[in-house]
Amino acid sequence: MGDRMDGCAMLGAVETRSVSPVFVGRAGELTALTEALSRATAGEPQALLIGGEAGVGKTRLIEEFLDTACAQGAVVALGGCVELGADGLPFAPFATALRSLHRRLPEELAAAADGQQAELARLLPELGDPGSHETSDEDSTARLFELTVRLLERLAADRTIVLVLEDLHWADASTRHLLTYLLRTLRRGRIVVIASYRADDIHRRHPLRPLLAELDRLRTIRRIELARFTRTEVHRQLTGILAAEPDPGLVEEVFERSDGNAFFVEELIVSHEAGCAAGQLSASLRDLLLVRVEALPEDAQRIARIVAEGGSTVEYGLLAAVARLTEDELIEALRAAVGANLLLAVPDGDGYRFRHSLVREAVSDDLLPGERSRLNRRYAEALEAEPGLVRADERANRLATYWYHAHDPSKALPAVLSASVATRKRHAYAEQLSLLERAMELWDKAPAETRDSLRPIDYADAYPACGCDPDAASLRFLDLLAEAAVAARLSGERERAAKICRNALRVLDSDEHDPLRAAWFWTEMARLQSNLGRGDGWPEIARAQELVKGLPPSAVHATVLVGAAGWGMLRNPGPEAIAAAERAVEYARFVKDEPIELNARITLGTIMVSAGDTDGGLATMHEARERTIALGQFHEAARAHVNISSSLESLGRSREAVETAVAGIELARSRGLVDSAGWIRANLSESLLSLGEWDRGKEEAEELLRSGASSTKPGGTALLQLAHLAVGRGEPARAAAYLAEARTRYGTRDPIPQYTLPMAQVEITIAAAEGRLDDVREQFAATVETGFPPGTHRYGWPLVLTAVTAEADSRGLPAADEGRAEALALVRRCVRSLATPAPVWEAYSRQVSEEVARAEGRETAARWAEVVAAYEPLERPHQLARARHRLADALLVEGGRREEATALLRQAHATAVRLNARPLREDVELLAARARLSLSEEKQPPAPAEPADDTFGLTPREQDVLRLVAAGRTNRQIAEELFISPKTASVHVSNILAKLGVAGRGEAAALAHRLHLLDTSL
């Protein structure tokens, strides 16, 4: 706050009176801000959006609030979005705010940024070298965002911070994305985030509009819309400005003309004080805003025009170089402009800006076309002659803007390309894309000698080195297309990326023969097709492979092979995928591209595990992980954690998978790898559910959904785990909702077994729980029609077990007899094709076999005992409890081993209660009740003479009706068989459904047979 107050104090001596010293109105809005400050001080982060038309008083409200905040000891960090011509500077408001915090809290900020200075330097260069040679990837921007949020949280741990971001309507895409991430993920710290925007600028296609709509859906954000002043408030404003009671006629005139806009009130009263009589005020808004400018001396008017074209703020040294006045003349001109309250000195005292952007826009619009071009040329020439006139992090972008608006392609093209490199280093990919598109626009306009002088090594990084002499090869238009395609993909503009790739491929087909470059673009297209949900990408990969066939090894060739191996890893991890991965490793080594090699080795190790070489595959991935960490390639290191934890889970080594996942999440979080952390957390949730740590697994899945991960598929997996959990806890409706959302996130154009098989399992489980056996059979047959690719046994065995259990549970239902033989035959075919590479899958195999026997009425206690024995050494408590329940049932049917059955049921019941697995608990309790067994460990008194009620309170007549419902009879058929009316039959059915707690006849029939409600054998 001291900086802001110093800036205001410096202006005080030359300021004329056009601003009311009395704060008018806005009591409710100011109260909302101060209440947010109180809550933040108590440790609850706050976020507010302040909108209103230009001139309505947003800045004055914020200033009034900041005075209160500073008086209460808060640290204020203010940053404004910069309009530079038609361009924005990436992350400008955040950079300015962090710079302010760096000045105010240098030691605290250094401590909060410790270990991450290189990454955070992309926003705040004062922290050091931003690591410009790191490879860009999908996690780059998310990593920067995560580290920024954590930095602010650490700073706000011990003090209240007020972060103000003004003029969001000018915000660049990177700023908008960072703000969204901040507001979605900020969870702790004493911090208030305030963002303001000009509401009348937010037209239907304005890029801020969807952001505002998204933020409106967040309950943690309060939106404040400022209305215009009432007549009474305008009267109070005029009284403050004039320091006297205004004439009633003047109040009426000003109110009518301003329509309650606070800034227009100020400009109208300036016009009045300049000698305009009532009724003679400026006829148009533009003329009104120019009145104050035209009243200035000629040099001051000239300075105003120069500042208007220079951007939101112009540094004093740059202004002096462009104005070409003597120092005395410049100071006098500035004094006049500041004294007229037209310009203000910026808080750090190094430059000037217009007091209100509306005046700057009016002055800029008043410039002649030639005058505007000349001023931009002067700015560019001054900045080239003396680069230190502006901050280093702004220099490239501002020079590119000045040369572009100077309409000099020979100068603009290299400047724009340099700016694109600078924005790429800051992970501002949306702005990089805009600059590259501008470079494409300038390409044909620039002289050939200018284009020939450009070198790929200086401006192009996306396309691998072509082996040409970097000092002799010229930059090509295709290099720009490659850069733009990657920038579009990394900024989330996948449609634009695909369009750029298609344009490049058309150029290559018609004008140039370059198979390597074409293969690279086809590989990019493969990735985009999958990301856009338009296919699996294989046709594009196959085309790329055809193009590189027979060519010498190259980085492009290795990239193509990695793409093919990655495709196979997810969809068909067989010999072809292994061969592609091995060749990718070989080619990458040959061309000495270690990052591609490590990527390929992780893929190779994953495929090896799926193909049965578990030890070799895990060793390959572990070696690659250690090497990536040593090289600082943390994105690939995190990917290794993703694949290793997944592979361990596929081998039934869930405890090791959890340990690997926890370590991977810590690595990913420490490096801000939000998406990678999401993938690992999805694996962690799955392994925790396997281990019976259901509550913790649920917490991890929900945490993933709350995180700022941009990839949709980890969220889909989290939803899938929640669906599994809901099924296990007897909540089929909730499971169906989770499943529907997961299916939306996965998409339908690229069916990957690791998603489609578990989704089918959940769908079959829901259908079985609701008694829809026909749907169970139909879904199972459709799912297994294409078989089980190598490595998918981890999804195949649970799927088959779910289907065959539904068949066994429905045994005895007449309606289920037809089609059972075919369904069990299909189960047997699946069993023959599924591998059992680990003890857990051997246990599943035994359980499936005995469920088949149960479905055919030939189960034995001896074989169920083998299933229990197979599960007992494993950490699979839910599966073990289910097997114990079935063994107890078999023992009781065979007779004579009641004590053993009691012990098994008690163990299964304890597990079911701990997991809150309601279906399993009910099964155990009903079986115990029918067998007159106690589930309590304590000694029980002799059983009462009256038998326990094990029929859910069904009357004998309702039991008769239930038997007929289970046999598939309609209400009319039931009525005829029991000699009752159809209406009475309907009443009995309704009562049965209510007592059983089920939704339909099929579910009632399934429950009756599953729980032996119609059986008297025990």
Side-chain angles (χ1 to χ4, degrees):
M1 187 64 187
D3 290 339
R4 192 172 67 82
M5 291 300 292
D6 291 344
C8 293
M10 184 175 66
L11 298 176
V14 294
E15 185 177 294
T16 59
R17 187 72 164 267
S18 66
V19 179
S20 172
V22 179
F23 183 66
V24 177
R26 313 303 187 206
E29 293 86 349
L30 187 59
T31 298
L33 291 170
T34 54
E35 288 176 350
L37 178 65
S38 299
R39 286 192 291 270
T41 302
E44 182 184 350
Q46 299 292 301
L48 303 99
L49 295 174
I50 300 178
E53 68 179 10
V56 81
K58 299 182 294 295
T59 299
R60 183 67 190 275
L61 171 64
I62 291 173
E63 288 174 347
E64 194 74 15
F65 165 68
L66 294 185
D67 287 340
T68 301
C70 289
Q72 295 183 18
V75 178
V76 172
L78 182 66
C81 299
V82 176
E83 185 187 36
L84 185 61
D87 311 310
L89 290 174
F91 304 121
F94 283 99
T96 303
L98 289 175
R99 192 170 285 118
S100 174
L101 290 172
H102 190 251
R103 287 196 303 267
R104 297 287 305 278
L105 306 167
E107 295 180 3
E108 294 88 342
L109 191 141
D114 187 40
Q116 304 297 341
Q117 292 92 333
E119 192 66 32
L120 289 167
R122 301 179 194 280
L123 282 182
L124 186 61
E126 287 85 343
L127 290 176
D129 181 6
S132 59
H133 298 296
E134 290 186 10
T135 302
S136 298
D137 53 53
E138 280 78 357
D139 259 337
S140 299
T141 304
R143 177 167 62 248
L144 178 60
F145 289 3
E146 174 73 6
L147 294 176
T148 303
V149 174
R150 300 290 84 82
L151 173 73
L152 291 171
E153 287 184 342
R154 292 189 191 105
L155 285 173
D158 303 317
R159 62 192 61 81
T160 302
I161 289 179
V162 179
L163 176 66
V164 181
L165 308 172
E166 292 193 295
D167 299 324
L168 279 186
H169 50 280
W170 288 331
D172 57 283
S174 295
T175 293
R176 294 194 300 271
H177 295 159
L178 176 51
L179 176 62
T180 304
Y181 188 89
L182 171 66
L183 297 182
R184 287 182 58 196
T185 62
L186 187 65
R187 295 176 196 150
R188 55 184 176 270
R190 296 160 51 183
I191 185 169
V192 181
V193 180
I194 299 173
S196 68
Y197 62 94
R198 192 190 288 179
D200 49 328
D201 272 11
I202 312 303
H203 52 77
R204 191 163 56 109
R205 295 186 178 180
H206 194 286
L208 188 62
R209 192 179 184 94
L211 169 61
L212 294 174
E214 179 180 352
L215 296 181
D216 277 343
R217 291 192 289 270
L218 299 180
R219 297 181 180 179
T220 55
I221 298 173
R222 179 166 182 178
R223 190 161 166 182
I224 298 174
E225 292 288 342
L226 297 188
R228 296 175 179 179
F229 280 164
T230 63
R231 181 181 277 98
T232 300
E233 289 168 333
V234 169
H235 179 271
R236 290 182 59 200
Q237 184 183 9
L238 291 175
T239 302
I241 293 172
L242 299 173
E245 183 67 23
D247 180 79
L250 178 63
V251 174
E252 187 65 27
E253 173 79 9
V254 169
F255 178 70
E256 290 295 329
R257 297 297 307 282
S258 68
D259 203 17
N261 183 288
F263 179 68
F264 295 164
V265 169
E266 295 173 358
E267 294 304 305
L268 285 165
I269 203 63
V270 166
S271 180
H272 175 268
E273 292 296 295
C276 293
Q280 296 180 338
L281 298 178
S282 301
S284 71
L285 173 60
R286 177 175 168 277
D287 290 343
L288 171 65
L289 296 177
L290 292 175
V291 164
R292 196 180 303 199
V293 180
E294 293 168 351
L296 294 173
E298 183 58 37
D299 280 349
Q301 291 188 46
R302 180 181 175 193
I303 290 299
R305 289 191 290 271
I306 293 173
V307 173
E309 193 59 22
S312 297
T313 299
V314 179
E315 296 77 359
Y316 175 80
L318 182 59
L319 181 58
V322 175
R324 300 179 183 178
L325 297 174
T326 67
E327 187 171 8
D328 288 343
E329 290 171 337
L330 177 60
I331 290 175
E332 283 302 313
L334 285 169
R335 184 174 294 278
V338 171
N341 209 12
L342 186 73
L343 297 181
L344 296 176
V346 295
D348 61 10
D350 188 42
Y352 293 87
R353 63 177 177 85
F354 277 85
R355 188 178 75 84
H356 203 287
S357 58
L358 284 174
V359 181
R360 181 177 68 80
E361 292 163 11
V363 174
S364 180
D365 290 343
D366 200 46
L367 293 173
L368 299 172
E371 187 179 13
R372 178 174 288 108
S373 297
R374 182 170 55 84
L375 284 176
N376 276 282
R377 176 175 289 277
R378 283 193 181 181
Y379 270 115
E381 290 172 343
L383 197 50
E384 278 193 343
E386 196 172 345
L389 291 174
V390 302
R391 295 186 187 279
D393 56 316
E394 297 181 8
R395 187 180 304 134
N397 284 73
R398 292 179 65 174
L399 188 60
T401 296
Y402 293 144
W403 276 125
Y404 180 78
H405 291 292
H407 303 296
D408 187 340
S410 65
K411 288 284 194 178
L413 179 59
V416 167
L417 288 172
S418 294
S420 75
V421 173
T423 53
R424 183 186 71 220
K425 291 177 180 177
R426 301 185 74 184
H427 300 330
Y429 301 116
E431 288 64 48
Q432 180 196 7
L433 176 59
S434 296
L435 287 163
L436 288 166
E437 289 176 335
R438 180 166 286 181
M440 294 180 213
E441 171 197 334
L442 293 167
W443 186 262
D444 289 331
K445 299 176 183 177
E449 54 269 24
T450 298
R451 299 198 300 267
D452 292 343
S453 67
L454 303 173
R455 296 289 176 263
I457 195 171
D458 296 324
Y459 304 112
D461 185 61
Y463 181 76
C466 62
C468 306
D469 182 356
D471 296 323
S474 296
L475 187 75
R476 301 164 61 186
F477 187 73
L478 284 167
D479 290 315
L480 299 189
L481 291 172
E483 291 292 309
V486 173
R489 171 167 56 80
L490 294 178
S491 65
E493 295 282 352
R494 297 188 178 104
E495 286 284 4
R496 290 169 74 182
K499 182 178 179 181
I500 292 166
C501 286
R502 286 192 291 269
N503 288 342
L505 290 168
R506 278 195 292 269
V507 171
L508 286 161
D509 284 342
S510 59
D511 300 332
E512 301 192 34
H513 179 70
D514 190 337
L516 275 182
R517 195 173 290 264
W520 183 90
F521 277 109
W522 279 115
T523 303
E524 279 291 303
M525 279 296 292
R527 187 196 311 230
L528 292 167
Q529 288 292 93
S530 177
N531 289 341
L532 288 168
R534 292 176 180 165
D536 61 8
W538 181 250
E540 291 77 15
I541 291 174
R543 177 70 174 135
Q545 287 182 297
E546 283 295 320
L547 287 164
V548 298
K549 186 179 294 184
L551 297 179
S554 66
V556 172
H557 205 148
T559 300
V560 171
L561 290 170
V562 167
W567 187 95
M569 176 186 71
L570 293 175
R571 299 166 182 86
N572 189 19
E576 290 185 5
I578 290 180
E582 289 174 339
R583 287 167 57 213
V585 171
E586 177 187 346
Y587 278 42
R589 284 176 178 167
F590 186 84
V591 298
K592 296 180 173 56
D593 194 323
E594 193 168 13
I596 293 180
E597 178 193 342
L598 292 170
N599 184 355
R601 285 169 63 188
I602 294 170
T603 299
L604 174 60
T606 308
I607 300 172
M608 290 169 66
V609 172
S610 297
D613 185 1
T614 57
D615 292 339
L618 289 172
T620 297
M621 285 190 282
H622 279 292
E623 290 170 4
R625 180 185 64 182
E626 297 309 311
R627 182 59 180 160
T628 56
I629 292 174
L631 293 176
Q633 295 177 1
F634 298 110
H635 179 266
E636 285 302 322
R639 178 172 175 254
H641 278 91
V642 174
N643 290 21
I644 292 171
S645 61
S646 178
S647 295
L648 289 169
E649 177 64 23
S650 76
L651 298 170
R653 294 158 61 174
S654 300
R655 187 62 62 186
E656 293 177 65
V658 167
E659 294 169 359
T660 300
V662 169
I665 290 172
E666 180 59 32
L667 170 72
R669 280 185 58 82
S670 70
R671 297 293 167 178
L673 301 171
V674 182
D675 274 11
S676 294
W679 286 103
I680 302 172
R681 199 178 296 279
N683 290 349
L684 175 59
S685 176
E686 180 183 359
S687 295
L688 289 170
L689 293 186
S690 296
L691 292 168
E693 297 184 32
W694 284 11
D695 289 337
R696 187 181 165 198
K698 179 174 182 284
E699 290 171 4
E700 294 294 345
E702 291 173 341
E703 173 65 22
L704 193 163
L705 294 173
R706 287 193 299 267
S707 74
S710 60
S711 296
T712 58
K713 288 180 179 176
T717 301
L719 289 161
L720 199 51
Q721 302 314 314
L722 293 173
H724 280 298
L725 184 60
V727 164
R729 288 183 163 168
E731 301 172 322
R734 178 172 294 182
Y738 285 136
L739 179 62
E741 190 174 349
R743 185 173 282 112
T744 298
R745 296 204 182 200
Y746 287 142
T748 58
R749 299 286 187 89
D750 183 13
I752 298 176
Q754 71 183 58
Y755 307 136
T756 56
L757 294 178
M759 283 194 295
Q761 183 202 345
V762 171
E763 190 164 359
I764 289 172
T765 307
I766 294 171
E770 295 175 350
R772 296 183 284 110
L773 186 61
D774 288 343
D775 291 343
V776 170
R777 291 170 175 172
E778 182 179 349
Q779 178 65 45
F780 180 63
T783 302
V784 304
E785 183 179 3
T786 56
F788 298 97
T792 58
H793 53 270
R794 65 188 287 187
Y795 311 113
W797 280 116
L799 172 71
V800 173
L801 178 59
T802 300
V804 73
T805 300
E807 292 292 340
D809 286 343
S810 66
R811 183 171 61 89
L813 280 174
D817 289 342
E818 184 178 355
R820 173 169 286 118
E822 293 81 359
L824 294 179
L826 182 57
V827 167
R828 288 188 172 93
R829 285 201 298 273
C830 291
V831 167
R832 288 193 292 272
S833 67
L834 285 169
T836 55
V840 67
W841 308 122
E842 181 62 39
Y844 264 88
S845 174
R846 289 177 180 272
Q847 188 174 7
V848 167
S849 296
E850 196 54 18
E851 288 290 359
V852 169
R854 185 164 72 94
E856 294 175 338
R858 53 182 182 82
E859 63 179 321
T860 68
R863 288 197 297 269
W864 275 118
E866 292 175 1
V867 176
V868 170
Y871 276 119
E872 281 179 333
L874 310 174
E875 289 188 275
R876 288 293 189 277
H878 187 245
Q879 289 304 115
L880 176 58
R882 289 176 62 187
R884 282 171 169 163
H885 166 251
R886 294 262 60 93
L887 173 56
D889 192 5
L891 288 171
L892 292 169
V893 169
E894 292 179 4
R897 300 167 68 179
R898 293 176 61 82
E899 290 186 4
E900 186 178 347
T902 301
L904 289 166
L905 288 176
R906 286 174 178 174
Q907 290 173 313
H909 189 260
T911 299
V913 170
R914 178 177 67 81
L915 298 178
N916 191 23
R918 184 168 61 83
L920 175 60
R921 177 176 58 79
E922 290 176 350
D923 285 355
V924 172
E925 290 173 352
L926 263 293
L927 179 58
R930 287 188 58 78
R932 310 295 189 266
L933 301 177
S934 172
L935 294 175
S936 172
E937 297 288 346
E938 298 178 1
K939 289 185 178 180
Q940 298 294 315
E946 291 296 322
D949 181 10
D950 56 2
T951 60
F952 284 85
L954 298 177
T955 67
R957 173 59 80 184
E958 287 169 346
Q959 292 179 48
D960 292 338
V961 172
L962 179 57
R963 285 189 180 89
L964 296 174
V965 168
R969 303 289 199 277
T970 66
N971 285 351
R972 181 170 296 279
Q973 291 170 332
I974 292 171
E976 290 174 353
E977 191 159 338
L978 297 180
F979 303 102
I980 58 178
S981 71
K983 183 175 182 181
T984 301
S986 175
V987 171
H988 282 315
V989 170
S990 297
N991 290 339
I992 291 168
L993 297 182
K995 289 179 179 181
L996 296 183
V998 295
R1001 302 165 71 96
E1003 195 174 348
L1007 183 67
H1009 282 276
R1010 180 164 60 87
L1011 301 182
H1012 303 291
L1013 295 182
L1014 307 178
D1015 194 354
T1016 59
S1017 60
L1018 297 182

